[in-house]
């Protein structure tokens, strides 16, 4: 658990399971909330900076998932390390969703209740409830 400077709360509800070598970070105005019965498997990285991350009830994140509610600035003429962080908004993972091994979720994305995201996918746009998405970038492949 790591709290960076500035505002940013971290809340884990009852029955949350956090496996070994998981990194949870909040700060710079981003809150992290993990709801009841969620399961975060080994080596996931969840970084709530500049915008919040909400993980719903009974959500499952397989190993190596990464959720980042921010990105680095990429303007020309200035080293990337010197640019302020940017965000497209919060990340919301709906109740009962499942993210396969190595899924990356970018800022501003909502993954709907009961949705599933295939291993290795990069989610850059919303996934509707009960949809199955896969690929890079992730696309809807069918409904549950």
């Amino acid at each position: 658990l790591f709290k960076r400077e500035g505002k940013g709360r971290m809340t884990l509800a009852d029955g949350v399971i956090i496996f070994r070598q998981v990194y949870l970070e909040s700060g710079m105005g981003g809150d992290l909330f993990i709801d009841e019965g969620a399961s975060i498997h080994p080596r996931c990285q969840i970084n709530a900076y500049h915008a919040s991350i909400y993980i719903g009830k009974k959500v499952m994140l397989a190993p190596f998932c990464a959720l980042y509610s921010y990105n680095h600035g990429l303007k020309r003429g200035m080293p990337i390390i010197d640019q302020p962080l940017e965000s497209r908004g919060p990340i919301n993972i709906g109740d009962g969703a499942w993210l396969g091994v190595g899924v990356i979720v970018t800022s501003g994305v909502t993954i709907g209740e009961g949705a599933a995201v295939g291993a290795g996918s990069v989610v850059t746009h919303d996934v509707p409830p009960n949809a199955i998405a896969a690929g890079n970038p992730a696309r809807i492949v069918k409904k549950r």
Side-chain angles (χ1 to χ4, degrees), residues 27-33 46-55 67-71 86-94 105-112 123-127:
M28 300 179 178
D31 296 331
L32 173 59
F33 182 81
I46 303 173
N47 297 72
Y49 294 160
H50 288 284
S52 296
I53 297 176
Y54 173 82
I55 298 173
L67 283 64
Y68 287 86
S69 64
Y70 70 94
N71 202 351
E86 302 173 344
S87 178
R88 293 185 307 143
I91 294 173
N92 292 289
I93 312 293
V105 181
T106 62
S107 68
V109 167
T110 294
I111 296 176
V123 186
T124 59
H125 292 90
D126 292 352
V127 176

Side-chain angles (χ1 to χ4, degrees), residues 22 27 31 36 38 54 57 61 67 69 74 79 91 95 112 123 144:
V22 168
D31 296 331
E36 297 174 11
Y54 173 82
K57 293 177 182 169
L61 270 60
L67 283 64
S69 64
L74 298 172
I91 294 173
D95 295 347
V123 186
R144 291 184 56 216

Side-chain angles (χ1 to χ4, degrees), residues 19 22 39-46 59-67 97-104 117-120:
F19 287 83
V22 168
S39 178
I40 314 297
H41 285 253
R43 297 183 180 90
C44 288
Q45 296 184 21
I46 303 173
V59 167
M60 295 184 298
L61 270 60
F64 297 102
C65 287
L67 283 64
W98 172 51
L99 278 59
V101 173
V103 169
I104 297 170
V117 181

